[in-house]
Amino acid sequence: MGSDVTLSCTISRLSDTVSLHWKSRDSSQQDNTDEIHLNNTVYLIARHVGAENQNLYTWEVQENDSIVLTGNTNVDVDQNLLNKIYTLYRPGTNHSELDLICEALSELNETKWTWRSSQFQNQEKEIASTIRSQPIDVNRTYFENRLVPTLGNFNDRSFSVRIVPVLFDDAGVYTCSLGSYKFVTIKLTTVKVTAEPSDTVTEGDTITLTCSVSDVTESMRLAWINSDGKTVGEKILNGGNREEKSLRLIVQKADRGRGNWICALFYQNTPKVLIPYYLKVNMRARPLPDIWIVTVLGYLLVKLVVAVGLICCLKRMNRKSNSGNPHKATGNETDDAQDAVALQTLNSDTDLRP
């Protein structure tokens, strides 16, 4: 009880009109699940199974949005937490939660939760404690207001606390103890996504997305998945001391509408953590033409039109004059003289500076 479970439903062929889905039969528990589609399989990650009877699930095959096949799955939950050790995986996001569940009968002994950080493994710190029928004392030194008890008083059985939201540095080992006896131990592994240069980029820029895991003790796999459900990058982690526990994805020339990715952590080919990442892309500002250039070009264009019109008028007047007076000089000399006057007028007008 309190651990996570991953359910999977696979179909032999997945056409464009067919889709797979998981859902909880208790609608109030939908927020404790994550769904991911990879190839012909849909996975459902259910968190803290068994708590509040959230162990009933349904899979569905839909064709053209109509259910054509369905089935129920029940998860058998062991209620006895004595000497249990299990691992939980959580994203370091604003919406993640961690329930530290301890169901233990304690009549006289002090019950407490301790935390040993992944960064300082030799230091075990007490984060919450209580005695029978007494208020739960929470130490806010390490988690501040993010650590809260699920019940006001210890009712001789349920001594559970919750961390909301979970941060990347919360990774480590959490232990519920009765006196000097360790009852249940929970190992927390966290995953986070960072972006450089920032979460918001301009269209055409290059950005680097990094998916990191806090601790690797066994073989794991990090993967980047695009909006089409296709893996665009992956890395196997084996837990070596010098091993870099992260996977980078370089997004070249960020484009609008293509800013959705998922960072996924797999353990033994089973997805454990999904972090959707939505990249905000701003439209690049288009440079405006220089106002002085526009002004000068417009001025010169007007002058050119005026000059051409003036030359055409002078030529027309010259032709009419020659046709009315045959004794007047004709030929190129008169035309050239009038053209020279027009050009001189144009030069005097255009010899201006903006």
Side-chain angles (χ1 to χ4, degrees), residues 23-256:
K23 66 179 182 180
S24 173
R25 275 177 271 169
D26 184 354
S27 59
S28 64
Q29 304 300 329
Q30 287 292 116
D31 293 338
N32 290 325
T33 60
D34 285 324
E35 188 177 88
I36 181 175
H37 297 255
L38 293 175
N39 300 322
N40 292 1
T41 301
V42 58
Y43 296 93
L44 183 75
I45 302 176
R47 296 183 291 274
H48 302 304
V49 294
E52 302 178 2
N53 298 321
Q54 53 170 328
N55 60 338
L56 307 175
Y57 305 93
T58 299
W59 54 265
E60 294 178 348
V61 180
Q62 296 183 8
E63 185 170 10
N64 294 323
D65 298 326
S66 298
I67 300 175
V68 296
L69 193 63
T70 185
N72 295 327
T73 297
N74 300 335
V75 179
D76 294 330
V77 179
D78 184 0
Q79 300 288 336
N80 183 12
L81 295 178
L82 181 62
N83 295 327
K84 293 297 190 300
I85 301 175
Y86 61 90
T87 301
L88 297 178
Y89 303 85
R90 291 292 180 270
T93 64
N94 293 331
H95 306 289
S96 60
E97 297 183 2
L98 173 67
D99 285 347
L100 301 174
I101 298 174
C102 184
E103 299 282 348
L105 292 174
S106 177
E107 297 182 355
L108 299 175
N109 294 334
E110 177 188 29
T111 306
K112 63 182 179 180
W113 274 104
T114 58
W115 171 55
R116 188 171 70 249
S117 171
S118 294
Q119 299 180 359
F120 310 100
Q121 297 187 3
N122 296 327
Q123 300 179 12
E124 193 168 31
K125 306 165 184 177
E126 183 177 306
I127 60 175
S129 63
T130 188
I131 300 177
R132 180 182 180 182
S133 301
Q134 297 295 318
I136 297 176
D137 182 22
V138 176
N139 184 352
R140 303 191 184 281
T141 303
Y142 311 106
F143 301 93
E144 299 180 343
N145 294 329
R146 296 186 296 114
L147 178 65
V148 294
T150 56
L151 296 174
N153 293 336
F154 180 43
N155 61 2
D156 299 339
R157 182 172 180 85
S158 178
F159 176 45
S160 302
V161 294
R162 175 177 298 171
I163 299 176
V164 183
V166 177
L167 302 182
F168 185 75
D169 292 336
D170 294 341
V173 178
Y174 296 81
T175 304
C176 178
S177 303
L178 280 67
S180 59
Y181 183 77
K182 294 184 178 180
F183 192 76
V184 61
T185 300
I186 301 173
K187 299 178 181 179
L188 174 65
T189 298
T190 54
V191 183
K192 68 176 180 179
V193 172
T194 55
E196 293 183 2
S198 65
D199 290 346
T200 304
V201 295
T202 302
E203 184 182 21
D205 290 348
T206 297
I207 187 171
T208 300
L209 303 179
T210 303
C211 183
S212 305
V213 59
S214 61
D215 192 26
V216 179
T217 57
E218 300 179 74
S219 180
M220 299 179 181
R221 178 164 59 95
L222 283 175
W224 277 107
I225 303 170
N226 64 14
S227 57
D228 297 327
K230 298 180 180 179
T231 301
V232 294
E234 62 180 9
K235 182 178 183 180
I236 304 297
L237 304 176
N238 296 311
N241 293 332
R242 298 183 179 181
E243 183 180 38
E244 185 177 5
K245 295 176 288 189
S246 61
L247 174 64
R248 291 180 176 83
L249 174 67
I250 299 178
V251 182
Q252 299 283 356
K253 296 183 178 180
D255 191 10
R256 290 180 64 86

